[in-house]
Amino acid sequence: MMTNFFQERNGTRYVEDLALTDIAERFGTPCYVYSRAALTATADEFLAAMDGTVDLVCYAVKANGNLAILNLLARKGFGFDIVSGGELARVLAAGGDPAKIMFSGVGKTVAEMEAALQAGILCFNVESASELNVLAATATRLGKVAPVSIRVNPDVDAKTHPYISTGLKENKFGVSFDEAHALYRQAVALPSLRVTGIDMHIGSQITEIAPYREAAEKLLQLVRALEADGIALEHIDVGGGLGARYRDEQTISLAAFAQMLREVFAGRSERLMMEPGRRVVADAGVLLTRVLYLKPGETKNFAIVDAAMTDLMRPALYGAWHPVSAVTKRSATEKSSDSEKSWDIVGPVCESSDFLAQARPLVLREGDLLAVGVAGAYSMVMSSNYNARPRACEVMVDGKEVTVIRAREEIKKLWEMERILSK
Ligand SMILES: *Cc1c(COP(=O)(O)O)cnc(C)c1O
């Protein structure tokens, strides 16, 4: 669906109307390149599919928090799901509406709660009894009333990677079904809290609708039990987690997802909300990198590139698979050394887990450019300065135009906050 924004023309890969070769020349590599048209198309598709079913789509900022991206989504009417005070500040700096922000996460600090209460956010997704009490005390101290939704853990198997599964009993997230009802009773009794909703989030990169249906049905049972107990909710938030297509995964149809929600919540008057991250931005970005050295060997062929796990950690962290393509296609017959080989695409970092891709059939020469696809989500946001590597720049393409939306980090900034001892 997004392929038309990242197409090949005369053997060269483009992002919209700009060749990636031009972008590399102007901005250097490694560089994250986003397509504004791809981002807007997905955002529009999301809102259209959920129109009339989901009242508020809160984009999960942690998938990609660049201000330009947040701002474009805010202009489209998206709300935001945040997990830290830093993300709150980002959303506000990007022009997001505080009344459309929900605050998730198991470890909110008092300072973060204060900032969110002062900003006047939509609600806190509370994840434990202790957090509820601290939030109540914090709100009392500020003379505010905190809007509260409790994140319940529906104990369903989202059938995804164990590191990104969050809705099982053994995960640290949410409150168990058994505890949740008692916690709601506690919450309604506290004058500095206003109970507004219920929330779940069962994992990430989910490719089947069945776990959502199962979890939503369980959630509804709890909503009914609460209602019978005199606790009426204003909203039901079904979380995020919709998978992207990296390789050949079947992605969940947004229309089918909306249909499932209409079926499960038929006849209910609560506003429905959701918190997608990955699915909104994954397809909108590629990581552009250049081959430094080719190191063919007896058992493996290594293509050492200028991007590393510090730029894109998902392969090292979860063994994630990203598509990799040559920006300029070489034909295997041009020169005898240009035979197709199976390459491991690795970075310069001193870790054996520093790979971007493994065993990819490509015809490569040193100096060639590669595009690592589906790199709009959980990519730049996870970058680090390990090995004193400055973070890559990020650019946004719009037709033939391109804007730097984050400058390449300057090396001297890396130690700006460090001090040498005087003796
Ligand atoms: C990460 C997260 C999301 C978004 O997950 P995606 O898989 O990116 O859609 C939504 N809600 C919460 C609470 C999260 O932690």
Side-chain angles (χ1 to χ4, degrees), residues 31 57 63 72 97 171 198 206 299 341 401 404 412 419 421:
C31 176
V57 181
L72 286 175
D97 179 358
N171 298 131
I198 192 165
I206 299 169
T299 51
K341 288 190 186 66
E401 286 169 26
V404 176
K412 64 172 195 276
R419 292 294 176 267
L421 301 178

XYZ file of all heavy atoms in Angstrom, residues 31 57 63 72 97 171 198 206 299 341 401 404 412 419 421:
118
model
N 21.154 8.138 7.547
C 20.119 9.165 7.545
C 18.742 8.492 7.520
O 18.526 7.569 6.728
C 20.321 10.027 6.294
S 19.088 11.289 6.021
N -8.177 8.504 18.489
C -7.015 7.660 18.228
C -5.805 8.372 18.824
O -5.437 9.464 18.379
C -6.819 7.412 16.715
C -5.611 6.506 16.478
C -8.069 6.797 16.095
N 6.784 5.243 19.596
C 7.141 4.627 18.314
C 8.027 5.554 17.478
O 8.922 5.093 16.758
C 5.886 4.250 17.527
N 2.448 16.780 12.634
C 1.578 16.398 11.509
C 0.382 15.589 12.020
O -0.751 15.781 11.568
C 2.356 15.578 10.469
C 3.337 16.359 9.586
C 4.116 15.408 8.686
C 2.594 17.397 8.734
N -2.626 18.672 21.633
C -3.653 19.162 22.548
C -3.585 18.357 23.852
O -3.795 17.145 23.837
C -5.024 18.966 21.862
C -6.186 19.409 22.734
O -5.954 19.834 23.887
O -7.335 19.320 22.247
N 3.480 -10.698 32.701
C 4.051 -9.418 32.296
C 3.879 -8.382 33.416
O 2.990 -8.507 34.247
C 3.393 -8.910 31.012
C 3.606 -9.846 29.820
O 2.663 -10.185 29.129
N 4.829 -10.276 29.610
N -11.346 2.745 31.226
C -10.642 1.473 31.393
C -9.761 1.289 30.168
O -10.099 1.759 29.075
C -11.649 0.307 31.569
C -10.944 -0.970 32.035
C -12.435 0.043 30.283
C -11.919 -2.027 32.561
N 1.205 -7.251 16.670
C 0.175 -8.296 16.680
C -0.410 -8.397 15.269
O -0.698 -7.389 14.622
C -0.925 -7.961 17.714
C -0.291 -7.879 19.116
C -2.047 -9.000 17.693
C -1.194 -7.311 20.173
N 32.811 -18.597 5.558
C 31.496 -19.028 6.016
C 30.443 -17.927 5.865
O 29.272 -18.204 5.679
C 31.537 -19.466 7.494
O 32.166 -18.428 8.239
C 32.320 -20.751 7.654
N 25.777 -12.375 -3.852
C 26.226 -13.145 -2.687
C 25.233 -12.932 -1.561
O 24.454 -11.984 -1.570
C 27.600 -12.640 -2.220
C 28.764 -12.978 -3.119
C 30.076 -12.627 -2.392
C 31.285 -12.811 -3.282
N 31.308 -11.874 -4.424
N 10.534 18.191 -2.414
C 11.197 18.945 -1.344
C 11.632 18.043 -0.206
O 11.048 17.000 0.025
C 10.228 20.004 -0.786
C 10.046 21.167 -1.730
C 8.905 22.064 -1.306
O 8.596 22.093 -0.091
O 8.330 22.705 -2.185
N 15.214 18.941 6.789
C 15.862 18.252 7.906
C 14.950 18.420 9.120
O 14.664 19.543 9.538
C 17.259 18.851 8.202
C 17.873 18.192 9.437
C 18.171 18.672 7.001
N 30.901 17.040 19.311
C 31.279 17.757 20.542
C 30.113 17.867 21.537
O 30.323 18.035 22.735
C 31.867 19.131 20.216
C 30.926 20.113 19.539
C 31.617 21.484 19.466
C 30.648 22.596 19.155
N 30.383 22.750 17.718
N 32.265 16.514 32.821
C 33.284 17.374 33.410
C 34.520 16.568 33.780
O 34.409 15.469 34.327
C 32.756 18.046 34.698
C 31.650 19.076 34.466
C 32.156 20.301 33.681
N 31.045 21.210 33.396
C 30.318 21.196 32.272
N 30.582 20.312 31.328
N 29.334 22.039 32.101
N 37.617 16.014 36.225
C 37.889 16.342 37.623
C 39.071 17.295 37.715
O 40.051 17.177 36.972
C 38.192 15.067 38.412
C 37.057 14.024 38.405
C 37.486 12.786 39.171
C 35.781 14.605 38.996
